[in-house]
Amino acid sequence: KTTPTNFPMSRDRADPFLYMKLCRLLGACMLATLLAGCGGMQAFEEGKVLLSEGKYEQGLAKLEEAVVLEPKNTEYRIALATRRSSIINRMVSAGEAARQAGQISEAEKIYRQVQVLDPSNVMARQGMEALALERRHRQTISEAEALFKKGEKADLLDALEKLRPVLSENPRQKDALNLKARIDEARSKE
């Protein structure tokens, strides 16, 4: 029969060294549990600071670390998902604005950053495709401009032919529209 006084681990009957070992083991387990929780919290806070500094890739990595350290913490999981989505949406908008402003290199840099954060992001992929098209259009317009500068009637017609696919793919391409207007004016003077 086991009673508190004859329980094998009661203080007055137990081996004091065994009792101390168990207390240390229990303390170590509690400390490890506490530190694991603190590690998640520390990573989460570091991630928020990095994000506020505009260091998106590092900040999201820290939030991911917090989620790994504390996978059951819904606050961390929700924060990671919403922050990632918000950052990616802002970056895609900035990339589109840069593309619309003709800042192709800046737009490409932003779209590539989005693809690092979310490799399957459709908007970033479409943005990169639009940039490739814009580069091709600029090259074609440059070739048409060279033909226009020659000034001969045949060259003006060739320049118009070069512009036709550009304006077909993007009827609002301002450089192509500007060059077309100049070609039409030159042709009308002949």
Side-chain angles (χ1 to χ4, degrees), residues 2-168:
T2 305
T3 64
T5 57
N6 69 2
F7 187 72
M9 289 304 297
S10 67
R11 281 187 152 174
D12 57 335
R13 294 188 177 244
D15 178 7
F17 293 110
L18 181 60
Y19 181 75
M20 286 176 50
K21 286 180 184 178
L22 285 174
C23 285
R24 284 185 185 147
L25 180 61
L26 182 59
C29 288
M30 289 174 49
L31 182 62
T33 303
L34 181 63
L35 289 178
C38 290
M41 185 185 312
Q42 182 178 353
F44 183 71
E45 293 301 323
E46 287 176 13
K48 290 191 322 186
V49 168
L50 289 167
L51 291 175
S52 70
E53 294 172 352
K55 299 175 182 174
Y56 301 128
E57 198 172 332
Q58 300 96 323
L60 289 174
K62 280 294 185 179
L63 293 183
E64 287 172 359
E65 181 183 330
V67 168
V68 167
L69 290 171
E70 292 187 48
K72 292 182 181 179
N73 188 318
T74 55
E75 178 187 6
Y76 296 173
R77 290 195 328 262
I78 291 170
L80 173 62
T82 57
R83 297 270 173 93
R84 173 180 275 131
S85 177
S86 174
I87 288 166
I88 287 171
N89 288 339
R90 271 188 274 142
M91 291 176 78
V92 166
S93 293
E96 183 62 20
R99 187 181 71 79
Q100 293 292 332
Q103 301 168 342
I104 291 180
S105 296
E106 180 65 18
E108 181 176 16
K109 178 180 141 192
I110 293 168
Y111 287 136
R112 289 201 188 283
Q113 288 173 332
V114 170
Q115 289 178 322
V116 166
L117 297 175
D118 181 8
S120 63
N121 187 280
V122 174
M123 298 298 289
R125 182 178 44 79
Q126 290 174 343
M128 292 295 285
E129 290 169 0
L131 291 176
L133 182 66
E134 182 63 26
R135 281 193 173 103
R136 194 178 85 234
H137 286 173
R138 286 183 179 193
Q139 177 63 36
T140 302
I141 293 167
S142 176
E143 293 167 4
E145 180 77 35
L147 290 169
F148 170 72
K149 287 180 179 178
K150 289 181 179 179
E152 298 296 320
K153 184 176 183 177
D155 294 324
L156 295 176
L157 290 174
D158 288 343
L160 277 177
E161 278 304 308
K162 281 239 178 238
L163 291 178
R164 192 177 317 280
V166 172
L167 291 170
S168 172

